[in-house]
């Protein structure tokens, strides 16, 4: 059973059948999937969802597929952790980490959007998929395409971390490094999508792709025991995940699956690439494009495709925004690791650092529930912490050598250390 009605222009309302298009022919506005929500009433319930598979397809009634899932059978349903140690350090009452650093198979939130896009690509009859990526998307497209038996072309900026490059190459896609930043990669991919009959997941399949991001929000709500956190802090790159988490919350509220606690959503960006945060703080709807300069490469998008919709979701929800310097990002990565045992990449460090600022400035009250969205894994970005960690001692394999080391006053730090 599918509740999908088709595609609809977000600006002028023109409708389209389901196909590989993403902009309106009349006004160039972005297209969005339309569902028959009235038909879902009484059918899409807590029970119908809870009886689904232990992966993101338990929410398939709210996703744009018609047949069976073709990808992502083991993606999603990542941990939602109560962060007790971090609560103490930050002086807040109820803090959660939604941890997509543990998402299968390539350890980022991108499994969600790619699972839906690959399934849709197969439904629409494509044999080749591709993407414009800051790294994680390329990893995910390459892995899911390998499993589904599709050809993959992944396009990345030339200066990514090794973990992101080899994290794609191992799956044997055709990878092209573009001598430019992400915005150059994206522009080229739009031209490729026009010319070649490929499913570029975040270009011509974008309306379907972006819907997959809702599962991040659905899981938070279900895992909290069918409740919404009052405050959700989320990183912003191209602007997909933040508005889709908010849309997921609204859909669950409208279907009476959760109570409406007026959830607020907050955007986090690196100070070296903060076009959306800058617009929100300045009270502008319009995004001024930037040239990125930050270690947070996975979210370094200077001209975000859906930046406008991030601003709208943040404003509508009564949320706000904050950015973080590279130094603050690394400090937050280390803090999360030593308090909660979660190693995230700079996108997650950005989000935690922004959360801390929003708490300290009083934007987020200390006594209300808070959820920090961790979207990527630190093992792929070892570069940003190598200079920060004390190298381990090296000794001969003899007890006396170890005794000498102990007598030398090796610092044994009790965790968690306060900041
Ligand atoms: C892609 C990505 C994001 C967010 O990107 P959006 O385009 O805004 O959805 C956040 N964190 C990580 C680690 C990512 O790879
Ligand atoms: Zn239109």
């Amino acid at each position: 059973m599918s509740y999908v009605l088709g595609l609809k222009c977000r600006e002028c309302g023109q409708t389209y059948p389901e196909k590989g298009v993403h902009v309106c022919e009349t006004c160039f506005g972005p297209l969005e999937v339309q569902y028959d929500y009235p038909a879902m009433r009484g059918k899409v319930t807590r029970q119908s969802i809870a009886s689904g598979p232990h992966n993101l397809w338990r929410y398939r009634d709210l996703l744009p597929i018609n047949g069976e899932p073709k990808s992502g059978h083991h993606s999603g349903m990542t941990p939602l952790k109560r962060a007790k140690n971090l609560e103490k350090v930050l002086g807040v009452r109820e803090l959660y980490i939604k941890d997509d650093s543990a998402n299968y198979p390539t350890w980022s939130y991108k499994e969600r959007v790619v699972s839906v896009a690959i399934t849709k690509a197969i439904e629409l009859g494509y044999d080749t998929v591709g993407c414009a990526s800051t790294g994680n998307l390329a990893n995910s497209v390459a892995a899911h395409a390998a499993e589904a038996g599709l050809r993959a072309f992944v396009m990345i900026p030339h200066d990514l971390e090794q973990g992101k490059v080899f994290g794609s190459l191992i799956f044997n896609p055709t990878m092209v490094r573009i001598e430019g930043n992400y915005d150059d990669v994206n522009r080229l991919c739009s031209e490729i999508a026009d010319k070649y009959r490929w499913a570029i997941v975040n270009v011509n399949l974008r309306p379907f792709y972006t819907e997959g991001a809702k599962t991040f929000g659905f899981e938070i709500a279900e895992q909290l025991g069918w409740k919404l956190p009052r405050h959700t802090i989320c990183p912003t790159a191209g602007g997909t995940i933040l508005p889709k988490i908010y849309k997921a919350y609204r859909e669950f509220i409208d279907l009476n699956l959760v109570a409406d606690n007026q959830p607020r959503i907050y955007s986090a960006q690196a100070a070296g690439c903060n076009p959306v945060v800058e617009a929100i703080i300045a009270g502008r709807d319009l995004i001024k494009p930037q040239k990125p300069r930050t270690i947070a490469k996975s979210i370094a998008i200077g001209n975000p495709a859906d930046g406008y919709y991030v601003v709208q979701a943040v404003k509508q929800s009564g949320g706000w925004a904050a950015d973080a310097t590279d130094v603050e990002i690394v400090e937050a990565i280390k803090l999360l690791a030593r308090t909660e045992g979660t190693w995230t990449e700079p996108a997650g460090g950005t989000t935690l650092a922004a959360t801390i600022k929003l708490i300290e400035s009083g934007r987020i009250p200390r006594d209300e529930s808070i959820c920090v969205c961790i979207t990527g894994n630190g093992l792929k970005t070892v570069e940003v912490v190598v200079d920060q960690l004390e190298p381990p001692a090296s000794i001969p394999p003899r007890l006396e050598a170890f005794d000498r080391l102990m007598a030398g006053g090796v610092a044994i730090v009790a965790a968690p250390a306060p900041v």
Side-chain angles (χ1 to χ4, degrees), residues 109-110 136 235-241 298-299 345 347 375-376:
Y109 118 77
K110 295 301 196 300
N136 284 317
T236 294
T240 294
I241 186 171
S298 64
I299 53 170
E345 63 145 271
T375 49

Side-chain angles (χ1 to χ4, degrees), residues 243-362:
K244 293 294 176 171
I245 291 175
Y246 191 57
K247 183 178 178 183
Y249 288 175
R250 302 296 339 163
E251 285 181 341
F252 269 16
I253 290 167
D254 292 342
L255 288 166
N256 286 321
L257 303 184
V258 296
D260 186 359
N261 67 345
Q262 299 179 306
R264 296 185 171 176
I265 193 145
Y266 302 79
S267 169
Q269 293 194 301
C273 183
N274 66 352
V276 172
V277 169
E278 193 261 340
I280 291 168
I281 290 172
R284 254 191 292 106
D285 285 335
L286 225 65
I287 312 289
K288 285 192 201 156
Q290 297 181 0
K291 266 218 166 8
R293 274 197 54 177
T294 171
I295 57 164
K297 293 177 196 257
S298 64
I299 53 170
I301 298 185
N303 189 12
D306 289 323
Y308 172 80
Y309 297 105
V310 175
V311 177
Q312 298 314 307
V314 166
K315 275 209 309 206
Q316 252 181 48
S317 77
W320 194 241
D323 58 20
T325 65
D326 286 357
V327 170
E328 291 166 336
I329 291 168
V330 173
E331 281 308 310
I333 289 173
K334 289 160 63 183
L335 175 66
L336 184 64
R338 72 170 188 263
T339 56
E340 296 298 335
T342 290
W343 187 8
T344 187
E345 63 145 271
T350 302
T351 308
L352 179 56
T355 302
I356 294 170
K357 288 185 176 178
L358 291 162
I359 292 166
E360 283 176 352
S361 68

Side-chain angles (χ1 to χ4, degrees), residues 100 107-110 113 133-137 164 182 202 206 209-210 213 234-244 268-269 297-301 304-306 310 344-348 351 373-377 380:
D100 263 17
W107 322 116
S108 86
Y109 118 77
K110 295 301 196 300
V113 282
S133 173
T134 55
N136 284 317
L137 180 57
K164 298 271 169 76
Y182 173 81
N202 56 337
R206 194 168 179 84
Y209 162 96
T210 55
C234 175
T236 294
T240 294
I241 186 171
L242 185 147
K244 293 294 176 171
Q269 293 194 301
K297 293 177 196 257
S298 64
I299 53 170
I301 298 185
D306 289 323
V310 175
T344 187
E345 63 145 271
T351 308
C373 300
I374 297 300
T375 49
N377 193 299
K380 295 192 202 176

Side-chain angles (χ1 to χ4, degrees), residues 170-249:
I170 193 68
F171 303 112
N172 201 31
T174 301
M175 171 180 271
V176 185
R177 291 161 71 199
I178 310 294
E179 291 149 17
N181 60 30
Y182 173 81
D183 298 292
D184 300 313
V185 180
N186 191 46
R187 205 170 325 107
L188 177 63
C189 276
S190 295
E191 291 171 3
I192 293 171
D194 284 343
K195 178 154 179 184
Y196 294 80
R197 225 196 91 79
W198 293 347
I200 309 283
V201 298
N202 56 337
V203 180
N204 51 330
L205 258 59
R206 194 168 179 84
F208 308 102
Y209 162 96
T210 55
E211 285 289 288
K214 291 190 304 188
T215 62
F216 196 101
F218 293 149
E219 286 178 20
I220 292 172
E222 185 182 355
Q223 291 171 317
L224 261 183
W226 302 101
K227 278 194 323 209
L228 300 178
R230 179 88 163 100
H231 308 276
T232 303
I233 307 91
C234 175
T236 294
T240 294
I241 186 171
L242 185 147
K244 293 294 176 171
I245 291 175
Y246 191 57
K247 183 178 178 183
Y249 288 175

